[in-house]
Amino acid sequence: MPWVFAAEKVLGAVSVAALCFCVLYIGIAVAGTLAGLVPPDEDLLVAEAMVIIAFLPQWLLVRRRRHVAVDALARLAPRSVQRGLDVLASLCGVAAYGVLGWAAWIAFDRAWLSGSLYIGELELMAWPGRLLVFLGLAGGLAACLLDLVRRLTGGEETE
């Protein structure tokens, strides 16, 4: 599925761009305070960029196994027990991403319907950041579901 690899590259590039934005905008804000020029809504813009960095690449984190995992004791167990623990871990991921995604959808829906704005000089809409949280969590859920299906069917891991 070449489109999946292309989408993953786009996710990575967007996340890196958001991180670069944070670094540059904070640098400009720090240098600006020395010159008496402070850019608008620094905290808000950096916080919204952090949403992109933290939530949008959840698909990548799950698919490439870059999420937090503690398997020190599981490695000592027999292979059949390890498989069961892997299925349990996938089920826990599905449950966690499902609950968080549901909450993110509710937050997005409320922000969309109310037309809420962030208070500040730029008066940015709140719903785009909430939508990105939902999309990131939906990606994590989809990756966990794929991982669960792979584990249950005995499929091969793909990178």
Side-chain angles (χ1 to χ4, degrees):
M1 291 187 285
W3 64 271
V4 172
F5 297 118
E8 288 179 350
K9 286 183 180 182
V10 169
L11 280 175
V14 168
S15 299
V16 168
L19 182 60
C20 290
F21 169 79
C22 287
V23 170
L24 290 173
Y25 205 73
I26 290 170
I28 290 168
V30 169
T33 56
L34 299 174
L37 302 168
V38 180
D41 293 333
E42 173 197 352
D43 295 343
L44 172 62
L45 292 174
V46 170
E48 290 296 294
M50 290 303 292
V51 165
I52 294 170
I53 295 165
F55 286 97
L56 203 55
Q58 291 300 309
W59 166 272
L60 292 173
L61 294 175
V62 174
R63 293 287 290 159
R64 295 185 180 171
R65 303 199 180 291
R66 300 290 191 250
H67 54 304
V68 175
V70 180
D71 61 356
L73 295 176
R75 283 188 253 155
L76 302 175
R79 187 67 194 134
S80 60
V81 173
Q82 288 180 15
R83 284 189 193 116
L85 291 172
D86 288 343
V87 168
L88 178 63
S90 293
L91 284 170
C92 289
V94 167
Y97 276 111
V99 169
L100 291 171
W102 180 37
W105 176 259
I106 291 170
F108 162 70
D109 189 49
R110 287 182 183 160
W112 176 265
L113 292 175
S114 68
S116 62
L117 299 170
Y118 289 115
I119 297 173
E121 293 175 48
L122 300 177
E123 292 188 354
L124 298 175
M125 299 294 291
W127 68 264
R130 308 261 169 90
L131 179 60
L132 290 175
V133 171
F134 171 74
L135 292 175
L137 292 170
L141 175 63
C144 283
L145 284 169
L146 286 173
D147 191 50
L148 178 62
V149 168
R150 182 189 56 77
R151 291 181 190 282
L152 291 173
T153 61
E156 293 294 315
E157 287 190 35
T158 57
E159 271 289 319

